[in-house]
Amino acid sequence: DAKTTQPPSMDCAEGRAANLPCNHSTISGNEYVYWYRQIHSQGPQYIIHGLKNNETNEMASLIITEDRKSSTLILPHATLRDTAVYYCTGQGAQKLVFGQGTRLTINP
Amino acid sequence: DAGVIQSPRHEVTEMGQEVTLRCKPISGHNSLFWYRQTMMRGLELLIYFNNNVPIDDSGMPEDRFSAKMPNASFSTLKIQPSEPRDSAVYFCASSLGSGTYGYTFGSGTRLTVV
């Protein structure tokens, strides 16, 4: 399972794009990169995942570097409800292992 | 779909007592995961099942912890005897197949052992 590194905290102004980085230099070729978030004390919520190509869904965009050693989650127009802890993880062998994540605070 | 259902939401018990946490996965999902979350250690994977069979229990802290999945719609995590250091939020998650489309987590059980 890939070891991931994320900044412990970030701030972003409401309405601006929030860009959350993640380093996963040990990720193997067949491991997907997944992003989850956890709002307050709720269970983690799936956001998006990708293997090599950039991905976009209704929640966010995922940019994966060509060497797959890092990725960036983009929340295009952050709202106060996006305040949460965001986890980047590699999924190998059907196991999802979480690191410490980034605590994102959206400021009004 | 009601999502992953965990019970109870909160549990307070005395040290030495047996505690049983319950989980009902999403219908049709064939993989089930138990996680524990504490401030100190974050989210830890305890055990996961595939088609009701335990696949990896390397995260189970010690013999006091046991998990079962008697059928596709029900799983339990039991702690016997419980200790104050077991206090945490326990999450259950389920997924379809290898989880390519993500895991769905329950709301968790907050366990306090006094």
Side-chain angles (χ1 to χ4, degrees):
Chain A
D1 299 314
K3 178 176 169 54
T4 59
T5 304
Q6 299 178 253
S9 64
M10 292 183 63
D11 285 88
C12 180
E14 187 178 18
R16 305 297 294 269
N19 297 281
L20 292 90
C22 177
N23 287 322
H24 34 77
S25 57
T26 62
I27 197 168
S28 63
N30 61 350
E31 273 187 284
Y32 283 81
V33 177
Y34 280 79
W35 283 82
Y36 284 75
R37 73 180 181 183
Q38 188 172 25
I39 297 174
H40 195 44
S41 57
Q42 299 176 22
Q45 175 191 24
Y46 165 81
I47 301 173
I48 198 169
H49 74 282
L51 185 62
K52 295 181 182 179
N53 300 320
N54 299 336
E55 302 288 345
T56 295
N57 63 20
E58 65 279 4
M59 291 182 68
S61 294
L62 174 61
I63 309 297
I64 303 174
T65 58
E66 193 171 340
D67 61 9
R68 296 197 352 108
K69 291 185 177 182
S70 65
S71 62
T72 301
L73 179 75
I74 301 172
L75 307 177
H77 305 286
T79 70
L80 299 179
R81 289 178 295 180
D82 292 322
T83 292
V85 178
Y86 287 76
Y87 296 97
C88 160
T89 178
Q91 179 173 334
Q94 202 178 357
K95 257 187 342 184
L96 204 61
V97 178
F98 290 89
Q100 294 303 308
T102 295
R103 182 171 297 276
L104 175 68
T105 302
I106 306 301
N107 300 307
Chain B
D1 198 322
V4 175
I5 300 172
Q6 291 187 245
S7 63
R9 289 297 307 275
H10 302 275
E11 176 81 39
V12 180
T13 190
E14 292 185 348
M15 182 173 63
Q17 296 298 307
E18 177 180 295
V19 176
T20 300
L21 312 181
R22 297 173 175 78
C23 175
K24 177 178 168 57
I26 289 176
S27 177
H29 282 190
N30 60 346
S31 294
L32 183 139
F33 307 81
W34 282 100
Y35 285 84
R36 177 174 69 174
Q37 186 171 34
T38 61
M39 288 292 291
M40 291 296 295
R41 301 175 68 90
L43 271 164
E44 303 173 276
L45 176 64
L46 300 178
I47 184 171
Y48 76 92
F49 296 83
N50 190 32
N51 294 322
N52 311 337
V53 176
I55 303 300
D56 185 345
D57 65 354
S58 60
M60 294 287 262
E62 49 196 272
D63 291 345
R64 297 184 298 106
F65 286 68
S66 63
K68 293 182 179 180
M69 192 164 187
N71 56 62
S73 59
F74 184 65
S75 176
T76 59
L77 178 68
K78 185 177 294 186
I79 307 173
Q80 166 64 15
S82 58
E83 298 182 3
R85 60 190 168 128
D86 302 329
S87 297
V89 181
Y90 291 80
F91 289 104
C92 175
S94 69
S95 73
L96 180 62
S98 61
T100 301
Y101 295 99
Y103 294 15
T104 302
F105 282 78
S107 299
T109 294
R110 181 174 295 277
L111 173 65
T112 303
V113 183
V114 297

